[in-house]
């Protein structure tokens, strides 16, 4: 293992996150932002306000976003943590408009991903600058070592988490580390690290793409088979249904596949929550 590889893996294991890391060039970030804005013009709405589950598994709708998931500068540090054989498990677009009161409560991703073993890295790709003023992600360093915490549902229309998940316990925000990013940079965080984000109090949009990667050895315990995309190496386990890349943006086949994938993904999560309550 090289010194640079060792540094990334060891820092991640110690802290539960790494930020920032270089990934996209400015031209690449600008192009992706332009692609997203073109989609919004065609929809007549921002992606965050569009009808349907367009913020989830969005890579199944747009070739430019599907391609982003394979970007070597994103995959390299993830491979150093999880190994060479990787699946893309999920994608979420996180959009906050200027002055947007939307927030994300303190939570752990592992609460609603239902993976066994719970090996999962989120690569958060900044398409615009992300800082405290615009509501960047904040993490509580070292909390990944606590393992899975209990969560309660606290519904709030401003919470970008669909079920209002909130980790039980008192969390001191003064100990939080903001994951400040420039457009094109990425952060990585562990499935168990406690994190949140505040409202966008700036005059600019804050846009990030959350890419959730898992090793191929991981399986899903949500009660049904869901989809994932092989992004590097080989998959000798076949735990997930292969996902269909979009031939063109929002074409009929892509919309149908995306709708079915989201239905199975979220229905499986509901079944897993009920099983957890009864166990």
């Amino acid at each position: 293992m090289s010194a640079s590889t060792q540094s990334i893996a060891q820092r991640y294991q110690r802290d539960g996150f790494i930020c920032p890391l270089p990934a996209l060039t400015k031209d690449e970030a600008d192009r992706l932002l332009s692609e997203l804005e073109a989609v919004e013009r065609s929809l007549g709405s921002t992606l965050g306000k569009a009808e349907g589950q367009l913020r989830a598994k969005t890579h199944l709708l747009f070739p430019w976003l599907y391609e982003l998931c394979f970007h070597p500068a994103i995959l390299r540090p993830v491979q150093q943590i999880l190994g060479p054989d990787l699946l893309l498990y999920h994608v979420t677009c996180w959009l906050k408009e200027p002055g947007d009161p939307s927030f994300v409560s303190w939570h752990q991703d592992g609460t609603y991903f239902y993976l066994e073993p719970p090996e999962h890295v989120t690569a958060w790709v900044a398409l615009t600058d992300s800082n405290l003023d615009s509501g960047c992600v904040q993490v509580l360093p070292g909390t990944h070592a606590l393992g899975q915490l209990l969560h309660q549902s606290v519904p709030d229309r401003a919470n970008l988490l669909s079920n209002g998940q909130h980790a039980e316990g008192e969390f001191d925000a003064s100990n939080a580390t903001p994951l400040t990013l420039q457009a094109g940079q990425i952060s990585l965080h562990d499935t168990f690290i406690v994190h949140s984000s505040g409202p966008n109090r700036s005059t600019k949009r804050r846009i990030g793409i959350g890419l959730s990667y898992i090793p191929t050895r991981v399986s899903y315990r949500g009660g049904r088979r869901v989809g994932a995309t092989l992004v590097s190496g080989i998959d000798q386990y076949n735990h997930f249904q292969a996902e269909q890349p979009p031939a063109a943006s929002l074409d009929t086949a892509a919309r149908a596949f995306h709708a079915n994938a989201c239905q199975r993904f979220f229905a499986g999560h509901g079944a897993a929550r009920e099983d957890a309550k009864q166990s």
Side-chain angles (χ1 to χ4, degrees):
M1 182 181 289
S2 70
S4 60
T5 298
Q6 191 174 43
S7 174
I8 288 223
Q10 288 185 340
R11 284 165 52 203
Y12 185 87
Q13 184 176 20
R14 180 192 67 203
D15 299 329
F17 74 96
I18 295 178
C19 179
L21 288 172
L24 311 181
T25 66
K26 184 179 185 305
D27 286 346
E28 286 176 316
D30 287 348
R31 180 181 66 81
L32 290 170
L33 181 59
S34 295
E35 294 275 13
L36 185 145
E37 291 172 338
V39 167
E40 293 178 323
R41 286 193 296 272
S42 72
L43 294 171
S45 168
T46 62
L47 195 65
K49 301 295 184 183
E51 293 184 5
Q53 286 279 3
L54 297 193
R55 287 200 312 114
K57 290 194 171 289
T58 318
H59 63 299
L60 300 177
L61 293 170
F62 307 109
W64 54 271
L65 187 47
Y66 188 86
E67 293 167 7
L68 175 67
C69 305
F70 292 79
H71 198 294
I74 298 173
L75 290 181
R76 276 193 297 269
V78 178
Q79 289 168 327
Q80 290 166 17
I81 296 166
L82 295 178
D85 302 326
L86 291 179
L87 295 168
L88 176 78
Y89 174 61
H90 196 54
V91 170
T92 307
C93 297
W94 299 101
L95 304 96
K96 294 179 183 176
E97 302 304 316
D100 192 338
S102 297
F103 69 97
V104 174
S105 50
W106 291 109
H107 71 289
Q108 299 168 307
D109 293 343
T111 306
Y112 48 90
F113 271 5
Y114 308 108
L115 299 169
E116 183 61 41
E119 301 177 56
H120 154 235
V121 171
T122 293
W124 205 96
V125 186
L127 298 192
T128 63
D129 292 350
S130 183
N131 51 48
L132 277 174
D133 195 34
S134 63
C136 68
V137 175
Q138 300 185 69
V139 300
L140 298 178
T143 51
H144 64 301
L146 299 174
Q148 182 61 63
L149 301 175
L150 293 175
H151 282 59
Q152 57 182 323
S153 180
V154 184
D156 188 320
R157 292 183 64 184
N159 195 341
L160 290 176
L161 297 180
S162 58
N163 292 301
Q165 300 96 329
H166 194 291
E168 293 187 358
E170 295 295 326
F171 300 106
D172 185 358
S174 67
N175 293 328
T177 297
L179 303 189
T180 302
L181 297 168
Q182 297 177 357
Q185 293 181 326
I186 66 172
S187 63
L188 305 177
H189 68 259
D190 185 82
T191 197
F192 284 146
I193 198 160
V194 177
H195 60 291
S196 70
S197 69
N200 182 359
R201 296 186 174 90
S202 77
T203 58
K204 297 181 179 179
R205 304 184 79 187
R206 194 225 64 169
I207 301 174
I209 311 295
L211 307 179
S212 297
Y213 293 104
I214 59 175
T216 56
R217 61 182 171 270
V218 167
S219 61
Y220 177 68
R221 53 184 176 83
R224 62 175 61 195
R225 200 158 185 252
V226 297
T229 295
L230 183 67
V231 292
S232 72
I234 59 174
D235 181 5
Q236 60 179 314
Y237 301 96
N238 196 34
H239 290 315
F240 296 85
Q241 177 181 332
E243 291 180 328
Q244 174 180 301
S249 292
L250 290 173
D251 69 10
T252 301
R255 281 181 177 270
F257 189 87
H258 170 263
N260 181 263
C262 285
Q263 189 278 328
R264 285 184 287 108
F265 183 81
F266 291 108
H269 284 15
R273 282 194 297 271
E274 290 305 311
D275 288 345
K277 290 177 183 177
Q278 296 169 16
S279 62

